[in-house]
Every structure is written in C-alpha cells, then in structure tokens.
Amino acid sequence: IEFETSLNILFLKSNQLTEIKVSTFQIFYKHLLEIYLNFNQIKKIESYSFYKVNRVSFLDLSHNNLKNFENNTFTGLYYLE
C-alpha cells in the first residue's frame, strides 16, 4: 500500500512519544515544512530520521528527554531556520 499526503505542518505536541525512527516521517517527505514534537518524552532519534523531509524549515524538539544524538540525526534538514 502506497500512501502520500500533502501535509505541510505536523503537530505532535504532548503525545508521549518516546522515539523517532527512520520511517517516522516517510509518508510526509514531499510537502512537510514544519514539525512540532515538543513536550513529549522522546529519548532517542535514529540516524537519518529526517533525511527525506529535506524541505522542513522548523523543527521543535523542546521539552523532551534527549541527551545525546546519533551521527547523522539531522542529515537532510538543509532549510532549518
């Protein structure tokens, strides 16, 4: 099953998320411009999780449990402000 969306803003604030995987944003990669992941419980973000969402200009990871980042965690985020 192939699924595509034209979603521009992904708002996942306060959803008790604990991890971001490489496949998390796969279906949003063409149009996504803003990602709000603040006020979750994210402890880990896999390498290359944002690789395909290269149009994103805003990413909010504030108020999570992030301590360390893997190599290439933010690879692909060329337009972050």
Side-chain angles (χ1 to χ4, degrees):
I1 296 175
E2 216 172 290
F3 179 76
E4 187 179 313
T5 180
S6 60
L7 185 72
N8 294 114
I9 299 172
L10 183 61
F11 191 78
L12 294 172
K13 177 182 176 180
S14 301
N15 276 282
Q16 299 182 345
L17 301 174
T18 59
E19 183 175 3
I20 303 299
K21 297 186 177 204
V22 174
S23 61
T24 301
F25 305 110
Q26 189 171 357
I27 63 170
F28 304 111
Y29 75 95
K30 288 186 180 178
H31 303 283
L32 197 58
L33 302 174
E34 298 179 17
I35 304 173
Y36 294 84
L37 298 169
N38 49 326
F39 292 97
N40 280 288
Q41 298 171 10
I42 299 170
K43 294 178 184 176
K44 180 181 178 184
I45 301 175
E46 290 182 358
S47 293
Y48 298 102
S49 289
F50 302 102
Y51 183 70
K52 287 198 170 197
V53 290
N54 55 11
R55 292 183 177 194
V56 170
S57 60
F58 184 84
L59 173 63
D60 190 348
L61 291 167
S62 63
H63 304 283
N64 279 289
N65 297 322
L66 292 164
K67 303 279 187 240
N68 299 307
F69 296 100
E70 294 184 22
N71 290 338
N72 301 308
T73 297
F74 301 104
T75 297
L77 295 175
Y78 305 112
Y79 300 104
L80 278 183
E81 295 180 3

